[in-house]
């Protein structure tokens, strides 16, 4: 697949050159380009692509990598409009990032979302195996974006721990086929990992006027593939029509009220209620749009069995292996071990967290993240901003 990506990067560079020079060369044009009568590219007619990120991370390096990689791999980077949903303490984040990327369109999200309202529905249990940092309300704010930004028809939501290797114009232009949201489906993980199905069955048996419309008539399938919330394409109006936010919050409340001896769901905080609310209702994206788990140090038994049965690949538990990452449009470093919390260059005795690409020629996943952050930018963002200055 390396040759495919070399070709793809070459095509992106050719397309950007065509755009910049206003030339049509050998018919090499992106479908989204518009031509005037004199065969020059009219970029003003291309619609904005609204990319939202929700994070309370004080370290701006992951955002820098997300923005830099997105712009580097999108033929018309001027279409990208980054909206940062962050705490007030990070109000100068956009200005600092624009200092590094002066051509980027980056703004602090200006619409109010009641954080206290979000927090009222979040509860943490020690018996779920979820990491404590996932309790942050900013982990749940993506579910409130369609309601808050109803004036925008379609948005792309990205987690902050992401490298974009593909063309976000392609992602933005996918046909949702009447669905409110699109997400990748990952069959190396199944519903049975997350849920107590005895409790789910009891909830589904409820009758009467208080039974919500989003409860499916048939039982949840234990073997259903998981769809990850880290990369989403959302039709804001359809999302609101289907009361998706309300359904997610309802499942969060059910979790809070669940059996004291056993939680309704585990292994996550925002992912499980998202799975329940959108069960059978999402458009399936190609898996290349969210190659996930790259911040994890190991494979689960289910993941190892998946690769063995489906691909005849045998892996140890450690390190985490992502054999198809060289095909990725988006690399997702979800998990405890974030690249920016480690070293740029791994020492000889340092542990390898994850490997991306085929086993015989894969590379450390973190190195793919560091490709989009120069040493100078890294040093600049690690410095504390001047208290009264812009930066």
């Amino acid at each position: 697949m390396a040759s495919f990506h070399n070709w793809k990067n070459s095509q992106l560079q050719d397309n950007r050159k065509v755009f910049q020079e206003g030339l049509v060369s050998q018919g090499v044009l992106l479908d989204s380009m518009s031509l005037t009568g004199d065969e020059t590219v009219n970029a003003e007619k291309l619609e904005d692509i609204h990319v939202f990120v929700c994070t309370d991370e004080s370290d701006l390096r992951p955002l820098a990598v997300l923005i830099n990689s997105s712009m580097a791999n999108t033929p018309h980077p001027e279409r990208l409009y980054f909206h940062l949903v962050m705490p007030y303490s990070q109000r100068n984040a956009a200005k600092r990032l624009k200092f590094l990327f002066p051509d980027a369109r980056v703004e602090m999200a200006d619409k109010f979302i009641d954080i206290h309202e979000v927090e009222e529905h979040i509860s943490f249990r020690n018996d779920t195996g979820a990491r404590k940092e996932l309790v942050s309300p900013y982990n749940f704010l993506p579910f409130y974006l369609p309601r808050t930004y109803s004036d925008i028809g379609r948005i792309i939501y990205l987690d902050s721990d992401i490298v974009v290797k593909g063309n976000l114009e392609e992602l933005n232009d996918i046909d949702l086929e009447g669905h409110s949201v699109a997400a990748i489906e990952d069959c190396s993980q199944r519903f049975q990992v997350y849920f107590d199905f005895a409790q789910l069955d009891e909830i589904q048996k409820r009758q009467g006027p208080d039974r919500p419309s989003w409860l499916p008539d048939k039982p949840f399938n234990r073997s259903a593939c998981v769809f990850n919330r880290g990369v989403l394409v959302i039709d804001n109006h359809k999302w609101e029509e289907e009361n998706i936010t309300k359904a997610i919050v309802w499942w969060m409340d059910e979790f809070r009220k669940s059996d004291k001896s056993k939680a309704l769901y585990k292994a996550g905080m925002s992912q499980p209620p998202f799975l329940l609310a959108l069960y059978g209702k999402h458009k399936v994206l190609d898996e290349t749009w969210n190659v996930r788990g790259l911040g994890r140090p190991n494979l689960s038994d289910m993941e190892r069995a998946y690769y063995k049965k489906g691909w005849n690949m045998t892996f140890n538990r450690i390190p985490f292996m992502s054999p198809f990452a060289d095909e990725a449009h988006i690399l997702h470093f979800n998990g405890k071990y974030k690249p920016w919390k480690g070293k740029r260059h791994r020492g000889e005795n340092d542990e390898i967290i994850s490997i991306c690409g085929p086993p015989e020629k894969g590379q450390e996943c973190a190195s793919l993240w560091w490709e989009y952050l120069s040493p100078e930018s890294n040093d600049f963002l690690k410095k504390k901003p001047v208290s009264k200055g812009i930066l």
Side-chain angles (χ1 to χ4, degrees), residues 149-162:
Y149 289 87
S150 57
D151 55 320
I152 301 176
R154 174 177 292 207
I155 66 173
I156 293 175
Y157 169 76
L158 300 178
D159 275 354
S160 61
D161 52 356
I162 269 174

Side-chain angles (χ1 to χ4, degrees), residues 17-36:
K17 184 177 180 182
V18 169
F19 170 73
Q20 291 172 344
E21 296 179 357
L23 300 175
V24 178
S25 175
Q26 299 178 355
V28 181
L29 285 172
L30 294 182
D31 293 339
S32 59
M33 286 186 175
S34 300
L35 300 181
T36 63

Side-chain angles (χ1 to χ4, degrees), residues 79-332:
R79 292 184 66 190
L80 300 177
Y81 196 158
F82 297 96
H83 305 258
L84 309 182
V85 183
M86 303 179 72
Y88 181 74
S89 60
Q90 295 295 317
R91 59 192 176 278
N92 286 327
K95 292 180 181 179
R96 299 194 77 206
L97 291 165
K98 282 183 68 65
F99 179 81
L100 293 179
F101 311 110
D103 293 331
R105 302 168 66 197
V106 187
E107 72 160 19
M108 306 305 295
D110 57 354
K111 295 192 177 182
F112 176 74
I113 301 177
D114 189 343
I115 295 294
H116 297 299
E117 176 190 345
V118 179
E119 289 176 326
E120 287 179 358
H121 302 282
I122 300 173
S123 54
F124 180 80
R125 292 178 55 147
N126 290 320
D127 59 348
T128 64
R131 305 195 314 275
K132 191 64 180 285
E133 60 263 31
L134 297 180
V135 78
S136 165
Y138 286 83
N139 200 29
F140 298 83
L141 288 190
F143 307 144
Y144 293 80
L145 293 176
R147 174 188 301 175
T148 309
Y149 289 87
S150 57
D151 55 320
I152 301 176
R154 174 177 292 207
I155 66 173
I156 293 175
Y157 169 76
L158 300 178
D159 275 354
S160 61
D161 52 356
I162 269 174
V163 173
V164 177
K165 303 284 283 187
N167 177 4
L168 289 183
E169 290 178 304
E170 294 179 6
L171 181 61
N172 186 69
D173 292 343
I174 67 161
D175 184 1
L176 290 179
E177 300 176 349
H179 294 89
S180 62
V181 64
I184 70 107
E185 207 162 69
D186 182 358
C187 292
S188 70
Q189 295 184 331
R190 306 283 179 158
F191 265 50
Q192 65 195 63
V193 171
Y194 286 92
F195 302 108
D196 178 3
F197 279 84
Q199 292 189 63
L200 280 183
D201 290 344
E202 288 301 315
I203 290 172
Q204 285 191 285
K205 290 177 183 177
R206 295 177 187 172
Q207 299 296 328
D210 294 332
R211 189 182 196 276
S213 59
W214 49 78
L215 271 180
D217 295 328
K218 296 181 179 180
F220 289 95
N221 182 356
R222 299 173 61 92
S223 298
C225 300
V226 167
F227 41 100
N228 187 277
R229 56 159 288 286
V231 177
L232 303 174
V233 182
I234 302 175
D235 181 325
N236 284 349
H237 302 149
K238 189 71 174 177
W239 178 288
E240 280 298 280
E241 286 177 10
E242 296 181 358
N243 288 317
I244 303 299
T245 302
K246 188 175 181 180
I248 292 173
V249 170
W250 186 87
W251 280 113
M252 290 167 63
D253 290 341
E254 288 296 312
F255 170 78
R256 190 177 67 250
K257 296 184 294 185
S258 62
D259 193 329
K260 292 183 179 179
S261 63
K262 192 173 184 181
L264 174 61
Y265 51 74
K266 59 184 179 180
M269 291 293 295
S270 61
Q271 175 78 0
F274 170 79
L275 291 174
L276 293 171
L278 281 157
Y279 178 76
K281 298 178 181 178
H282 67 288
K283 157 84 174 184
V284 179
L285 284 177
D286 189 273
E287 287 186 17
T288 57
W289 284 111
N290 188 351
V291 175
R292 52 91 209 155
L294 307 185
R296 288 172 46 198
N298 60 276
L299 290 166
S300 68
D301 290 339
M302 181 175 290
E303 288 166 331
R304 294 171 67 203
Y306 169 79
Y307 286 123
K308 179 64 177 176
K309 182 178 180 180
W311 307 96
N312 197 29
M313 295 180 178
T314 301
F315 296 127
N316 296 324
R317 287 182 60 83
I318 299 174
F320 185 90
M321 299 293 297
S322 185
F324 307 118
D326 57 338
E327 304 174 39
H329 293 312
I330 286 178
L331 299 169
H332 190 183

